[in-house]
Amino acid sequence: MSNSKLKKVSFEDALMMTGFGKFNYRMLLLVSSIIMGMVFEIFSVSFLVTASSCELGTISSQQGLMAATPLVGIILSSHFWGYLADTKGRRRVLRWELISGFTAGFLATFSPNWIVFILLKFASSCGVAGTYALALTLLGECTPHHKRSLLVALTSSIFLVCTGVMAIFTIPVLPLKFSYYIPFLGIYFNSWRLLNLSYCMPCALSAVGIHYVPESPKYLLSAGEEEMALEILRDINAVNKGRNVDFKVESLILDEESARRGKEGLWSSIISQTTPLLKPPLLSKTLLLSLMFVIVYFCLNPYMVWLPYISDGIMRASETGDSNFTFCEMLQTSLNAGANKVSDCVLDKTAMIMVFGIDLLLAVMNGILTVVMAFCGRKPLLITMQLVAGTAGLLVNASSNWIISIVLFIVYLSGTLNYGFLATVTVDVFPTYVKAMALCLTLMVGRGSSVLGINILKELLSNQCELSFYCFAGLTMVGGLLGFLLPSEKKTKEVGS
């Protein structure tokens, strides 16, 4: 009886039979590396803009354009990468993205002027635009359902740690005084170029790592490659349970609608791949999750982008010794004193440590909340996080004690943890044949809104700081109320498995 084979098994049941072990931890390690590559390439501009301003001679408006460029690249190319991942495979497309992202990021190191720099950063951001969504999709489709939300949610901690590590990188690298002239380019290879070079290396390492993992078995089954999917499941079973443990499945059932791919042109194929997301029964899910991503990214991502600027202002204002300032009064004090002149081409060491500390604290909070999610459920946690963050944001300037204000500000920033929780919902509720497209599309819409939020917030922080918190935090609370419309976790399992 123990040697009998199971003829027809649903994919989720078959994946559950492979267990949870070494293979899954290896996948998480690779996904962590991919996320680091994406984060370093996209968000490093926040540090490089200031560090390169002396050599490239950029003014404020040019620096704003440089800072926004990576997000524009993501917005313009995420949809395309999602389409490729759903039609050509997760693993293959991730490899293309990582190689192209590294190549453009590496070349940006040798930019002779800010225009070339911005063009190459645009190219690198286009290259890595879909890596986060595709990595989460690949991880989710190789992880048993009872551990899926846990691992996908933990990627938010990885994301936050990576953003903090970028700040730490600046401390030993930027103060270096070396300068080597490269005649045929007419540039000096110096500390900020070395910093950029270090930021693009995770993409190269991840491109190598992707060769050592299999394609998503769920994608292969969706594409009609049942034997290949079974072979990968056997390999996963062997890694997790040992070569002597037989995988007793002969045939797989997908239990969801499969892709219907015919011979058609690229544009027609993209449209046909997107259309299911824009009509019933998936339309309501697409609209709701897109709106949730818009609110979270618009309200919270701008504060994360300008966190080095905010941290620098807070630390410099605290050096005056006067603690009877509200949060916004501290920012205004440092601004009036000219403490944040970009022409200084420096990043305050204490401020960078503060950025790292905040990101690390948020990462730890995400790990704790991910465990809590297993007991209270994803939907209640997401709603609670959104409402608590919004309330804290409204109260940031209610106290003249700067320590209390900073604590409230960090609580407000904790709303960024909903990036990961929303991603787990998206991974679960959409069928395999449009899963990567759905995640890329909803993330693209959210990131698109953050471009607008980044520019609005910078102006408000300089001129109407308190208003920025009332507007952004108030909208954050609206997002919490919209969370009640999300599908429950029990229903999610039925739809997305």
Side-chain angles (χ1 to χ4, degrees):
M1 188 73 177
S2 59
N3 293 323
S4 62
K5 292 282 187 178
L6 303 174
K7 296 207 175 217
K8 288 284 185 183
V9 179
S10 72
F11 176 82
E12 288 296 337
D13 289 340
L15 186 59
M16 183 73 74
M17 292 170 64
T18 65
F20 184 86
K22 292 180 182 178
F23 173 84
N24 305 98
Y25 292 121
R26 291 174 187 173
M27 283 297 302
L28 181 61
L29 182 63
L30 175 64
V31 168
S32 300
S33 176
I34 293 171
I35 291 173
M36 178 178 285
M38 184 277 294
V39 169
F40 277 24
E41 199 54 52
I42 298 297
F43 296 98
S44 61
V45 180
S46 298
F47 302 93
L48 294 170
V49 162
T50 299
S52 66
S53 59
C54 287
E55 183 180 354
L56 300 184
T58 52
I59 61 176
S60 180
S61 59
Q62 293 167 343
Q63 291 164 12
L65 185 59
M66 291 168 71
T69 294
L71 286 175
V72 175
I74 288 177
I75 294 165
L76 293 179
S77 56
S78 289
H79 192 72
F80 177 68
W81 287 120
Y83 155 75
L84 286 180
D86 282 330
T87 55
K88 305 298 180 183
R90 302 6 177 162
R91 179 173 173 270
R92 180 188 300 178
V93 175
L94 273 170
R95 183 170 61 244
W96 293 344
E97 286 196 87
L98 292 165
I99 292 173
S100 59
F102 166 75
T103 302
F106 176 82
L107 293 175
T109 302
F110 306 96
S111 301
N113 55 60
W114 75 275
I115 295 177
V116 174
F117 180 83
I118 202 174
L119 289 174
L120 288 170
K121 280 298 181 180
F122 174 78
S124 69
S125 64
C126 287
V128 299
T131 51
Y132 186 72
L134 268 59
L136 294 192
T137 301
L138 180 61
L139 180 65
E141 291 176 349
C142 293
T143 306
H145 196 283
H146 70 292
K147 295 287 188 180
R148 187 174 302 152
S149 292
L150 173 67
L151 289 198
V152 174
L154 280 175
T155 59
S156 289
S157 290
I158 297 164
F159 181 98
L160 289 164
V161 169
C162 291
T163 57
V165 168
M166 280 194 302
I168 293 299
F169 271 30
T170 66
I171 296 175
V173 175
L174 284 183
L176 297 175
K177 301 299 183 183
F178 71 89
S179 183
Y180 300 105
Y181 184 64
I182 304 178
F184 68 95
L185 291 176
I187 65 170
Y188 288 90
F189 187 85
N190 46 32
S191 60
W192 77 264
R193 296 181 187 276
L194 177 62
L195 185 64
N196 181 74
L197 189 61
S198 67
Y199 284 151
C200 68
M201 292 309 297
C203 278
L205 295 175
S206 300
V208 174
I210 201 72
H211 285 284
Y212 297 95
V213 299
E215 177 57 91
S216 160
K218 193 170 187 180
Y219 164 79
L220 291 172
L221 182 60
S222 175
E225 302 286 349
E226 183 181 0
E227 279 306 313
M228 292 180 65
L230 273 170
E231 186 60 35
I232 289 173
L233 289 175
R234 292 188 190 102
D235 290 340
I236 295 174
N237 182 76
V239 173
N240 284 342
K241 296 183 175 181
R243 297 286 174 185
N244 58 334
V245 179
D246 191 22
F247 183 63
K248 302 175 182 180
V249 175
E250 286 187 344
S251 183
L252 296 170
I253 305 171
L254 186 58
D255 279 347
E256 64 180 38
E257 185 180 354
S258 299
R260 297 170 183 170
R261 301 185 183 110
K263 293 182 179 179
E264 52 189 351
L266 174 63
W267 182 244
S268 299
S269 182
I270 293 176
I271 293 176
S272 65
Q273 189 70 19
T274 308
T275 300
L277 299 173
L278 303 178
K279 65 180 184 180
L282 299 181
L283 176 61
S284 60
K285 299 180 179 66
T286 303
L287 292 177
L288 178 59
L289 284 166
S290 295
L291 183 57
M292 290 291 293
F293 270 111
V294 163
I295 291 175
V296 173
Y297 271 92
F298 178 84
C299 297
L300 295 156
N301 194 54
Y303 284 95
M304 295 300 294
V305 170
W306 294 116
L307 187 57
Y309 166 84
I310 294 172
S311 299
D312 189 70
I314 294 297
M315 295 310 301
R316 292 182 186 273
S318 66
E319 291 172 0
T320 64
D322 191 344
S323 60
N324 294 320
F325 282 142
T326 65
F327 192 89
C328 282
E329 286 173 347
M330 295 185 75
L331 285 180
Q332 193 61 48
T333 297
S334 63
L335 185 64
N336 291 340
N340 288 309
K341 291 180 180 178
V342 293
S343 59
D344 289 343
C345 303
V346 294
L347 293 168
D348 183 77
K349 177 180 177 180
T350 305
M352 293 303 98
I353 294 175
M354 182 178 179
V355 171
F356 174 73
I358 291 174
D359 285 326
L360 186 60
L361 177 60
L362 291 176
V364 172
M365 288 176 59
N366 183 76
I368 295 171
L369 290 173
T370 300
V371 175
V372 171
M373 180 177 64
F375 296 96
C376 71
R378 179 173 52 208
K379 180 177 175 179
L381 181 61
L382 191 151
I383 294 170
T384 301
M385 286 293 300
Q386 201 75 7
L387 294 176
V388 169
T391 303
L394 292 173
L395 296 175
V396 162
N397 288 288
S399 173
S400 59
N401 185 305
W402 68 275
I403 296 178
I404 294 177
S405 295
I406 289 177
V407 170
L408 289 170
F409 179 62
I410 293 174
V411 173
Y412 176 62
L413 290 181
S414 69
T416 59
L417 303 183
N418 277 339
Y419 296 163
F421 298 142
L422 279 173
T424 65
V425 177
T426 305
V427 167
D428 274 354
V429 301
F430 289 98
T432 305
Y433 75 103
V434 291
K435 194 186 297 289
M437 178 71 86
L439 194 51
C440 282
L441 182 62
T442 52
L443 282 171
M444 178 189 72
V445 173
R447 287 164 175 164
S449 69
S450 73
V451 173
L452 179 62
I454 288 167
N455 288 279
I456 292 175
L457 179 61
K458 185 59 167 61
E459 287 298 315
L460 288 177
L461 287 176
S462 300
N463 303 303
Q464 297 288 337
C465 179
E466 292 187 3
L467 180 61
S468 72
F469 283 97
Y470 296 143
C471 293
F472 284 72
L475 188 56
T476 298
M477 296 193 73
V478 172
L481 298 177
L482 284 174
F484 285 100
L485 300 177
L486 291 171
S488 65
E489 202 152 359
K490 287 184 178 179
K491 185 176 179 181
T492 294
K493 289 179 182 179
E494 292 170 4
V495 175
S497 295

